[in-house]
Amino acid sequence: MQQLLSKRGFICDMDGVLYHGERVLPGVAEFIEWLYEQDKRFLFLTNASDKTPLELHQKLQRMGIDVDPSHFYTSALATAAFLRSQAPGCSAYVIGDHGLHCALYDAGISITDVRPDYVVVGETNSYNFDQIQKAMNLVNAGARLIATNYDITGPIEGGIKPACRALTAPIEAACGKRAYYVGKPNPLMMRTGLQILGVHSSEAAMIGDRMDTDIVAGVETGLDTVLVLSGVTDERTADSFPYRPRLILSGVGQIPGGNDADALNGEDVDALADASVDAPAAEE
């Protein structure tokens, strides 16, 4: 744990790490207070594309936590930056909510369904058959397919919801082309996060609840990795992946206390998984 506490920079996921839906998770307020008290550089880097940094700031504010909008970076912003670097002044047909629309507009990308350069898919609550059909035909006509992130589900209060990859999959299947996914675990987004913080990868930690996006992104970018079990992953699920986080915590609330006894490492997860497999069945 001391290795984690000594890091200068922290990149943290949001859904499943800070909150579920509109409910803040235990220990989050204390964790953020610790980041400020210890003068850590931190960035909340989320694959969700539906909200702007200002709206994320306001969401945490409603939960009693005040974090400046400059500490938020979304896959919508990463997607807009990617398209601007690839094709300045390009056009896109967009399936997504206003967070994505705002990011693209601010990057000088026009939004249209008439011969667009790109089809861009993000999270939305208004997904429908007409959008799938429109996107499929535009891609078949030459538009390039871009998705804001690789999450297939996301945590909500009382369960999970379909996320960007689940919404992109029907379009990929219908047109036979694979999207380019911009958000985590794409190193593009992670490198941008490190640049914003102004720290080297060896000085930073990635904290997240997903093995297939947060943790693999941290591993491949050279950050210290911390899996929290407050989101979509449990110990058994973590053990099914060929890579490991360095630490596993129940939630970010454990970090300010810095108690090594409460943390698991990759070998501990292997031992727990083996024990659960080898344990005899309970007698009825």
Side-chain angles (χ1 to χ4, degrees), residues 46-104:
T46 176
N47 263 353
S49 63
D50 55 333
K51 291 182 173 59
T52 66
L54 177 60
E55 289 168 330
L56 292 172
H57 155 76
Q58 292 170 339
K59 179 172 183 173
L60 284 184
Q61 220 174 28
R62 290 194 298 271
M63 299 176 186
I65 300 171
D66 191 17
V67 177
D68 190 83
S70 63
H71 289 286
F72 300 94
Y73 192 71
T74 72
S75 68
L77 294 173
T79 300
F82 170 73
L83 294 184
R84 181 174 54 196
S85 69
Q86 290 282 301
C90 65
S91 60
Y93 171 68
V94 181
I95 298 174
D97 284 346
H98 60 279
L100 179 55
H101 284 256
C102 288
L104 294 173

Side-chain angles (χ1 to χ4, degrees), residues 87-158:
C90 65
S91 60
Y93 171 68
V94 181
I95 298 174
D97 284 346
H98 60 279
L100 179 55
H101 284 256
C102 288
L104 294 173
Y105 177 81
D106 288 344
I109 297 162
S110 60
I111 297 173
T112 180
D113 61 358
V114 180
R115 295 189 297 278
D117 300 304
Y118 295 92
V119 168
V120 180
V121 183
E123 289 82 9
T124 179
N125 292 322
S126 59
Y127 191 68
N128 59 54
F129 179 82
D130 288 342
Q131 290 175 321
I132 299 172
Q133 181 173 266
K134 172 72 76 173
M136 175 193 71
N137 286 315
L138 290 172
V139 171
N140 285 339
R144 286 151 287 184
L145 182 58
I146 303 292
T148 60
N149 69 83
Y150 200 64
D151 287 358
I152 195 164
T153 60
I156 56 173
E157 291 182 71

